[in-house]
Amino acid sequence: MKVAVIGSGGREHAITWKISQSDICEKVYTIPGNGGTPNNVPLDIMDFKSIRDFCEKKGVDLLIVGPEVPLAAGITDYFLGSTVKVFGPDQRGAILESSKIQAKKFMQKYDVASAEFKEFILRTDQDKIESYIKELNGKVVVKYDGLAAGKGVFVCDQSAQALEAIEQIKSIYGLDSEVLIEEKLTGVELSIIGITDGKTIKLLLPSQDHKQLLDQDRGPNTGGMGAYCPVPFCDQTLMEQIKQTIIDPTIKGIDKEGFHYIGVVYFGLMITATGPKVLEYNVRLGDPETEVILPALKSDLLEVMNSSFNGTLSKYELEFHQDYFLDVVLVAGGYPGNYKKGLEISGLQTTDSLIFHAGTRSENGKIYTNGGRVLNVVGRGKTLHEAIVNTYSNLNKIRFKDVYYRRDIGKRNNRV
Ligand code: AMP
Ligand code: GLY
């Protein structure tokens, strides 16, 4: 098979790495890719016509869409009738990520465990907004309705903070935008990611992201500073509860709604004292979770994806390596604020770790930084502790000016 992967992050490098190992894979292209990905094709990920022309001309059999933006804009619908199969939901299915309000309505309709909420239009609902924030004692999360690359969510503890969040959303997105206000949940976050054909789902290993810049989950939010899998506290009892109260009703809903949904469902969960609840759905693989859950997958990813197109996914049993996997993200100094690009990276050949490139580019055989999140260094071990030691002992061989990374990936206190 010939495969093309859309995207340019660590997630897409991990996907191309895993797909390339398949016995049935003949060639993998990356659109547009980064300094580590194979066969980069410099096309805009939103230029569906050029992507379709390219795939059809090269005889690509399967197009895997990494990021959410092309899915939300309907890339899967655009390929209907093409010889190229697209791994990723249609635009209707992608609404589970592209509209936080529609996602909550879906959860309500299908009885998926999640936080209490109300929706509002900023222009007309100021009074209602104020009274709902008061009702919840200011312990709310205010969310802009549309895609916002993680910047439209405000977690608040006090009413004043929540009202300030409303003002910010007004000034960034305008008075006609809609917001979701939901109950602030407390607990431990967990990412559950599965591959679905719209009727059944096969889960990859549970993983945990580390979103804040600084150790002990302090500092500003980022695109992800590290991840690991599996997660020790996610035992069979918890998994069963997650299946019954979240995963099964979600898949039933996807089927009932008639979404054309062959792709990934990502459940961003909060494990609270009263059970697991959904914080968000994503309709694609998580980053940096993918950089650990794909190395942990023993099964052939391309075969699994194929089975989701030919109706045999329900019979497929995924196999996993018995080890723990840990990913530490190396970022450019200054990220997520201003940072430099174009710094030469050295030491990439000297480590035994698996490296997934993110913000890098390759030029004349050298690799340079080209973004804020630069590299993912992935190690493994028989225990989580061993995975941590193995990953961190390889890290300092890789150098570029002002490199920064968290020292505590995998060491979170996961008490609910
Ligand atoms: P979202 O994009 O909806 O996942 O929100 C981004 C982040 O905000 C999540 O990963 C959580 O850390 C936090 N968050 C979202 N919703 C809630 C909630 N209801 N209670 C507490 N934290 C939340
Ligand atoms: N790791 C969070 C996300 O991919 O949205």
Side-chain angles (χ1 to χ4, degrees):
M1 285 179 75
K2 290 184 186 159
V3 179
V5 177
I6 293 183
S8 57
R11 166 181 54 206
E12 287 75 22
H13 190 187
I15 297 170
T16 59
W17 169 84
K18 182 69 183 161
I19 290 286
S20 303
Q21 293 164 28
S22 170
D23 289 339
I24 53 170
C25 176
E26 183 188 330
K27 181 142 192 173
V28 184
Y29 298 98
T30 323
I31 305 170
N34 60 36
T37 51
N39 305 308
N40 291 345
V41 185
L43 294 175
D44 181 335
I45 65 168
M46 298 306 281
D47 182 356
F48 300 168
K49 179 172 187 315
S50 298
I51 295 174
R52 182 165 169 168
D53 288 348
F54 171 82
C55 289
E56 289 176 352
K57 191 171 124 219
K58 294 289 183 183
V60 166
D61 302 285
L62 175 67
L63 178 65
I64 302 170
V65 186
E68 64 277 14
V69 179
L71 293 169
I75 191 167
T76 304
D77 311 69
Y78 190 86
F79 273 77
L80 284 178
S82 167
T83 49
V84 185
K85 290 180 285 191
V86 182
F87 187 78
D90 66 355
Q91 196 168 22
R92 287 184 63 226
I95 202 107
L96 292 181
E97 178 164 359
S98 62
S99 166
K100 292 188 184 288
I101 293 175
Q102 294 307 318
K104 288 297 282 191
K105 287 187 170 166
F106 173 95
M107 292 178 223
Q108 197 172 41
K109 183 169 173 189
Y110 293 103
D111 210 9
V112 176
S114 83
E116 212 191 282
F117 77 101
K118 281 190 178 153
E119 65 190 280
F120 302 96
I121 301 169
L122 289 179
R123 187 181 292 282
T124 52
D125 294 342
Q126 187 67 24
D127 292 348
K128 291 184 202 154
I129 289 174
E130 287 176 20
S131 66
Y132 191 54
I133 290 174
K134 225 176 176 178
E135 189 186 317
L136 296 177
N137 283 324
K139 299 204 181 324
V140 296
V141 183
V142 181
K143 300 181 178 182
Y144 167 67
D145 183 47
L147 287 181
K151 294 187 180 73
V153 176
F154 300 81
V155 181
C156 309
D157 283 306
Q158 285 147 4
S159 298
Q161 242 180 330
L163 292 170
E164 171 55 31
I166 295 287
E167 290 310 311
Q168 279 211 37
I169 294 176
K170 273 185 198 161
S171 72
I172 307 171
Y173 302 103
L175 270 178
D176 289 316
S177 35
E178 295 181 52
V179 293
L180 179 74
I181 299 183
E182 59 182 59
E183 159 201 16
K184 183 190 167 194
L185 301 172
T186 49
V188 174
E189 286 188 47
L190 182 69
S191 305
I192 301 285
I193 298 172
I195 291 173
T196 187
D197 58 4
K199 295 199 181 300
T200 184
I201 187 164
K202 294 292 168 177
L203 299 180
L204 298 163
L205 292 182
S207 59
Q208 210 172 31
D209 187 3
H210 296 61
K211 287 187 175 125
Q212 267 89 26
L213 181 71
L214 307 175
D215 284 9
Q216 269 114 49
D217 296 329
R218 284 196 264 253
N221 222 14
T222 71
M225 297 297 295
Y228 70 94
C229 80
V231 179
F233 75 80
C234 187
D235 57 14
Q236 257 193 330
T237 314
L238 177 58
M239 231 19 249
E240 200 45 49
Q241 203 182 0
I242 293 171
K243 276 191 186 140
Q244 279 175 21
T245 62
I246 290 168
I247 294 169
D248 293 349
T250 298
I251 298 303
K252 191 173 140 210
I254 287 175
D255 187 22
K256 281 241 164 101
E257 292 294 313
F259 298 155
H260 175 82
Y261 205 126
I262 296 176
V264 166
V265 188
Y266 169 124
F267 302 85
L269 307 182
M270 184 76 92
I271 311 305
T272 74
T274 56
K277 298 194 174 162
V278 177
L279 297 177
E280 64 165 341
Y281 289 126
N282 293 322
V283 298
R284 36 93 193 156
L285 286 162
D287 197 343
E289 291 94 330
T290 303
E291 289 91 314
V292 290
I293 60 179
L294 291 189
L297 177 68
K298 209 167 174 183
S299 306
D300 181 327
L301 181 63
L302 192 48
E303 276 185 14
V304 182
M305 287 178 170
N306 268 340
S307 72
S308 62
F309 285 96
N310 64 25
T312 56
L313 183 66
S314 62
K315 297 193 202 95
Y316 209 98
E317 284 309 322
L318 295 188
E319 285 185 83
F320 303 97
H321 296 290
Q322 291 304 309
D323 290 353
Y324 285 84
F325 290 79
L326 189 97
D327 171 25
V328 178
V329 181
L330 308 192
V331 305
Y335 172 83
N338 292 333
Y339 54 83
K340 288 205 182 90
K341 288 185 186 178
L343 306 167
E344 190 178 340
I345 305 170
S346 64
L348 284 171
Q349 317 299 342
T350 61
T351 122
D352 321 323
S353 295
L354 191 54
I355 308 267
F356 293 127
H357 291 231
T360 72
R361 72 182 163 81
S362 159
E363 198 181 302
N364 300 326
K366 289 187 174 169
I367 303 286
Y368 299 90
T369 70
N370 194 36
R373 293 165 71 226
V374 177
L375 292 165
N376 299 268
V377 180
V378 179
R380 66 194 280 182
K382 289 278 159 243
T383 60
L384 181 53
H385 176 74
E386 202 179 293
I388 293 170
V389 172
N390 289 344
T391 311
Y392 278 98
S393 63
N394 270 313
L395 269 183
N396 53 7
K397 298 175 191 154
I398 301 165
R399 287 171 206 272
F400 56 91
K401 191 168 179 295
D402 296 333
V403 56
Y404 169 78
Y405 54 88
R406 273 179 65 160
R407 267 61 178 177
D408 67 340
I409 304 301
K411 294 185 181 169
R412 184 177 280 150
N413 174 3
N414 279 313
R415 223 168 294 145
V416 174

